[in-house]
Structures are given as C-alpha cells and as structure tokens.
Amino acid sequence: MKPRVTKLGHVGLTVRDIDRTIDFYSKYLGMRLTEKFEYEEVRLGHGVAVQAGAFIRCDTTHHELSIFKMRKDILPDDAPGAPRYGYGLHHVAFELGSPEDLKGLYTQMRDDGVEIVNCRKGGPGNQPRFYARDPDGNLLEFYWGIDQVGWDGASRPYDPIEEIDILSFDFEAYVETRETNAAEARKTIRSGING
C-alpha cells in the first residue's frame, strides 16, 4: 500500500523580524503564539541556518505557521524581501468562517494600510477571496466558501476568474447559484448523461 499524507501540516516562512510577523498574524488572523526560541551561536538549528524561530497556531495544533530568522551570515538584514514573482512559495491561504469574517478582515487590513493585491471569485475552487501581503511581502489569500469535492472525486466546472468588490459582493446569491448548479450536476450524474 502506498503511503499518503492526511493533511497539509504547516508552512514555514523566513522573515526579517519575528516579533513584527507574530504581531501581524496575531492581529489580523487571531493566530496565537505557541512558543518562541533562539539558538545559541554554537548550536544553531534547522540545518545550522536558523538563528531564531516561533511557532504560531489557529487551534490546538502546536503550529500551522513556522517563522524563522536566519543567521546573519546566511541571510543578512539588508537581503532583498520576498520576490513578487519567482520560484518557491507562491502564497499561503487562510479560510475564514463566514462572509462577514472575510469582509471584516478585508476592511481592517485595508484601513490599516496593509497592501491589498486584489479581490476575486471563480477559477478552480470558485471561492470568493482577497489577496494581501504580509510585512515581508509574502502573498496571502483569504477566502470563504471553497468548493468541496464530491464522492466521485470530481470537481465541478468553475466560473471564470473575475475581480469583485468584496464588500458589495452578494454572498447569498453566490451560494444559491452554486447550490443550484451542483444539484443540476448531480442529476446528470444519476441519469447517466455524463457517462
């Protein structure tokens, strides 16, 4: 039997300032610090590149986000920030519990001057979402209502990606249309139209 993972465990980020990053994820996402640590120079961690780190969490899991400060000889303070485009991490996504939570987070970040990249719906997963950048320039996605894959393992066709105004977006109409489309798709599966 082939081994398989049960879920994505956590994401690790290299940051310029650990406290600033903890403050950002705590303030906007309500994440909590589990622990923070520093390695002695003679006992550096994670392949001898890490000087300090912190683990933060959403729930009772020890950590969903690992934050690391690299040794100065590995990554000096004046090193460039996260690239806008490049190989490696593209974005980290966070699910919100309701449309109101999504709109509230958007408003808070916008009002605090956090860089908002855009707001969208459609595309694979179909979810209404917005993108912003953390203090180190990492791209973050915040969403609500991502599609769930059915028992047959197939995802439903998705709407084209469109820019939206997240604050005036009609979440109720979105859910109603999604459920109607899903019900129609289930009928065609049961009737054998799709093979």
Side-chain angles (χ1 to χ4, degrees):
M1 183 178 269
K2 185 177 179 181
R4 66 181 200 104
V5 297
T6 57
K7 69 177 182 175
L8 178 63
H10 62 271
V11 174
L13 297 176
T14 300
V15 303
R16 210 174 287 282
D17 182 325
I18 288 178
D19 291 326
R20 176 181 74 172
T21 302
I22 293 168
D23 290 345
F24 177 88
Y25 286 94
S26 297
K27 176 180 181 177
Y28 294 110
L29 305 186
M31 296 182 84
R32 296 178 303 280
L33 178 66
T34 300
E35 60 184 294
K36 185 175 158 187
F37 53 90
E38 289 193 29
Y39 290 108
E40 300 170 28
E41 280 196 43
V42 294
R43 260 185 84 212
L44 296 172
H46 287 76
V48 302
V50 171
Q51 173 187 336
F55 293 130
I56 60 177
R57 67 188 191 281
C58 300
D59 54 27
T60 58
T61 302
H62 186 273
H63 62 281
E64 280 95 8
L65 196 56
S66 304
I67 303 165
F68 299 111
K69 170 92 171 145
M70 306 303 276
R71 283 185 3 205
K72 289 191 186 305
D73 62 321
I74 302 286
L75 190 63
D77 287 336
D78 62 352
R84 297 297 174 160
Y85 302 101
Y87 294 108
L89 179 70
H90 182 271
H91 71 277
V92 179
F94 298 90
E95 182 175 7
L96 281 288
S98 70
E100 293 73 27
D101 288 346
L102 184 65
K103 292 189 290 188
L105 179 60
Y106 172 85
T107 300
Q108 182 185 14
M109 287 182 152
R110 180 200 63 195
D111 293 353
D112 286 351
V114 172
E115 181 185 349
I116 304 292
V117 177
N118 60 29
C119 303
R120 297 178 170 176
K121 74 171 189 80
N126 284 298
Q127 71 277 16
R129 60 201 179 272
F130 76 90
Y131 296 88
R133 295 207 180 266
D134 78 1
D136 288 287
N138 293 300
L139 184 62
L140 307 176
E141 175 185 348
F142 304 98
Y143 68 90
W144 173 85
I146 194 167
D147 280 358
Q148 300 298 305
V149 176
W151 60 267
D152 61 354
S155 60
R156 73 178 178 96
Y158 51 83
D159 299 330
I161 295 174
E162 294 179 56
E163 299 285 323
I164 61 171
D165 177 347
I166 203 98
L167 297 178
S168 65
F169 184 71
D170 189 342
F171 285 89
E172 287 182 21
Y174 164 78
V175 170
E176 187 176 309
T177 300
R178 180 178 68 184
E179 295 308 311
T180 300
N181 292 346
E184 288 301 315
R186 284 191 297 274
K187 285 180 193 174
T188 60
I189 290 171
R190 285 190 194 115
S191 67
I193 293 172
N194 289 342

